[in-house]
Amino acid sequence: MKAWFAQFNQREQLSLLALALALALYLLYQLVWSPLDERRDQLALQNRGVAESLQRVDVMVSELVQLRDSDTRVTTRRNLTSLVNQSTSRRELQVNRLQPNSSGELQVRLESASFDDLLAWLHDLEYREGLLVREVSITQTGAVGRVNATVRVAQAG
């Protein structure tokens, strides 16, 4: 290679060196700089998307906290036993036993209740009254469409 390079005059040697330097810079740009620049642009775009998502999540969290705080203030003042009594009366369900426990929950025992009325009552408890139905145990009775149920209800929040 040295002999090949030596055969050229000084001006040609300088031209070859300049060409080699230009070729090396071009290859460096194409193989290193350009892919890094494209990747940086992709990551910047991805970061903007994540930041926008995070901002939307923050807004939703603050809305949820406000809703939870406003619901908590309303539900803590209500008497759980009276709410259950009123809601079962609306659905014409016969309560056989109401038993409060130490954690503020209420266990309700219904015997020979209409299954459809029971489901409607459970829906009312959660979505109309804002209570939590923690546990439900339903067993069949001898009559068609009638069930025995034990339900554990708690205040939301």
Side-chain angles (χ1 to χ4, degrees), residues 48-152:
R48 270 186 247 117
V50 168
E52 289 170 1
S53 294
L54 180 62
Q55 190 175 23
R56 286 192 303 268
V57 167
D58 285 341
V59 167
M60 286 186 238
V61 165
S62 65
E63 288 174 2
L64 284 174
V65 167
Q66 287 175 347
L67 287 173
R68 186 185 65 204
D69 289 345
S70 67
D71 284 348
T72 301
R73 280 182 252 133
V74 171
T75 57
T76 53
R77 296 182 194 149
R78 301 188 304 177
N79 183 344
L80 189 57
T81 305
S82 67
L83 283 173
V84 168
N85 283 332
Q86 290 170 1
S87 62
T88 53
S89 295
R90 275 195 304 270
R91 292 287 172 184
E92 297 178 5
L93 293 168
Q94 182 63 39
V95 176
N96 291 72
R97 185 179 76 225
L98 276 175
Q99 183 176 1
N101 65 18
S102 61
S103 61
E105 298 174 345
L106 187 65
Q107 187 175 19
V108 182
R109 176 72 180 165
L110 305 167
E111 292 183 2
S112 192
S114 165
F115 182 71
D116 293 336
D117 290 341
L118 175 67
L119 291 182
W121 175 65
L122 291 173
H123 181 269
D124 285 350
L125 285 180
E126 289 224 340
Y127 295 101
R128 188 177 190 186
E129 302 294 342
L131 301 176
L132 294 176
V133 176
R134 296 260 188 215
E135 185 178 329
V136 178
S137 173
I138 300 174
T139 57
Q140 291 179 335
T141 63
V144 176
R146 295 288 180 179
V147 293
N148 294 332
T150 304
V151 180
R152 195 164 46 106

